[in-house]
Amino acid sequence: MATNEDQKQTESGRHAEVGHKSLLQSDALFQYILETSVFPREHEAMKELREVTAKHPWNIMTTSADEGQFLSMLLKLINAKNTMEIGVYTGYSLLATALALPEDGKILAMDINKENYELGLPVIKKAGVDHKIDFREGPALPVLDELIKDEKNHGSYDFIFVDADKDNYLNYHKRLIDLVKVGGVIGYDNTLWNGSVVAPPDAPLRKYVRYYRDFVLELNKALAVDPRIEICMLPVGDGITICRRIK
Ligand code: SAM
Ligand code: CA
């Protein structure tokens, strides 16, 4: 049963709707993480890009600072060099990746919208990491189909971050599983979809949350039984499922 305390939290502190960048129980706890371990160590270019993005009307789409820090740590832990990103927006996760990779690291970055990428590009350039980025404007699927045609791209990616159209994640997975190397990692973002994956059927969800939820649920089910990968679903940001290719 909900206590008065729970009620108070729901009204004041709990994340009540889409837009919060964490699934934690309270904003205070999320702020604590940001202020204690994320912001004091955030690269100045990441901070600048976060501030540029905050002024953009679609800023809800950006990767959260704590997730950026997580991606950076993961990339370094696996010594990633050849990487891919599907869904760039203004480039916060892209910049986190570019900064984490070695000087000769590479990111094939795809987005249907170049304008938003160009908003962040001056900051990426100022950070001196734009030479690692190969940006392709347009839908990602045809690019993946092209890559697949060439045998030498198979098993060539150390890390792939997927943060785009959720209704295509399974289509991406079919292709990415061949492109990532055995032992490499694919990260599927937003796999907890604002917590809606456990919402009752009559829950008041925003239209787009409701629409994509079924695709996210389907993806999560498919990843859970895919014998080619090991998985770990983390409640970072809006949920990220880390998939390590094992065969
Ligand atoms: N990773 C980004 C960041 O850190 O700010 C956020 C990406 S945002 C959630 C999703 C992006 O996917 C949007 O910029 C959108 O234009 C892009 N997108 C949507 N459909 C796409 C497609 N078919 N191919 C490539 N990008 C797509
Ligand atoms: Ca995301």
Side-chain angles (χ1 to χ4, degrees):
M1 217 177 88
T3 62
N4 280 351
E5 206 39 52
D6 289 337
Q7 189 67 32
K8 245 194 300 179
Q9 246 210 347
T10 306
E11 282 158 14
S12 62
R14 282 271 290 274
H15 305 310
E17 58 171 321
V18 182
H20 290 282
K21 303 311 289 179
S22 168
L23 295 165
L24 281 176
Q25 284 181 350
S26 76
D27 286 329
L29 206 44
F30 183 42
Q31 278 308 316
Y32 175 79
I33 292 174
L34 292 177
E35 279 158 28
T36 310
S37 75
V38 180
F39 291 155
R41 288 171 168 271
E42 190 183 31
H43 190 286
E44 57 180 30
M46 298 283 290
K47 181 170 186 282
E48 191 179 342
L49 184 52
R50 196 157 48 74
E51 287 166 356
V52 168
T53 304
K55 295 187 200 120
H56 191 264
W58 305 343
N59 60 23
I60 186 183
M61 296 205 299
T62 192
T63 296
S64 60
D66 58 324
E67 184 169 4
Q69 188 183 53
F70 166 70
L71 289 174
S72 168
M73 174 68 89
L74 177 63
L75 287 156
K76 290 173 185 170
L77 287 173
I78 65 170
N79 288 316
K81 196 163 159 182
N82 193 32
T83 72
M84 189 193 295
E85 177 169 300
I86 304 179
V88 169
Y89 181 43
T90 61
Y92 192 79
S93 54
L94 183 63
L95 179 57
T97 306
L99 287 167
L101 295 185
E103 262 310 289
D104 59 347
K106 298 247 166 301
I107 314 163
L108 173 61
M110 288 162 269
D111 203 300
I112 47 173
N113 182 321
K114 195 176 183 183
E115 247 174 66
N116 295 332
Y117 168 61
E118 283 174 345
L119 213 67
L121 192 54
V123 185
I124 296 176
K125 283 189 171 157
K126 202 157 85 179
V129 290
D130 53 302
H131 63 283
K132 301 177 191 176
I133 300 168
D134 172 9
F135 180 86
R136 311 268 183 97
E137 184 182 17
L141 215 50
V143 180
L144 300 185
D145 283 335
E146 268 312 300
L147 288 175
I148 291 276
K149 281 187 197 159
D150 189 344
E151 196 64 39
K152 81 171 189 318
N153 293 318
H154 288 217
S156 68
Y157 287 86
D158 304 309
F159 179 79
I160 300 170
F161 183 54
V162 183
D163 190 14
D165 43 341
K166 317 303 166 205
D167 43 349
N168 258 324
Y169 273 28
L170 273 177
N171 292 325
Y172 294 143
H173 187 61
K174 279 188 194 127
R175 291 145 176 95
L176 296 179
I177 197 69
D178 286 331
L179 295 170
V180 74
K181 73 178 188 192
V182 173
V185 171
I186 310 172
Y188 288 105
D189 203 35
N190 303 89
T191 50
L192 293 174
W193 202 227
N194 197 242
S196 70
V197 288
V198 292
D202 58 346
L205 301 177
R206 286 183 182 207
K207 236 181 171 171
Y208 83 92
V209 173
R210 180 171 299 285
Y211 174 75
Y212 287 113
R213 178 174 67 156
D214 288 347
F215 293 99
V216 175
L217 287 168
E218 204 189 331
L219 171 82
N220 290 340
K221 266 196 217 156
L223 295 180
V225 297
D226 188 334
R228 300 165 297 181
I229 50 175
E230 285 175 347
I231 66 167
C232 175
M233 198 185 220
L234 296 172
V236 176
D238 190 27
I240 177 167
T241 303
I242 303 297
C243 309
R244 179 174 171 272
R245 183 176 171 194
I246 50 175
K247 56 179 164 187

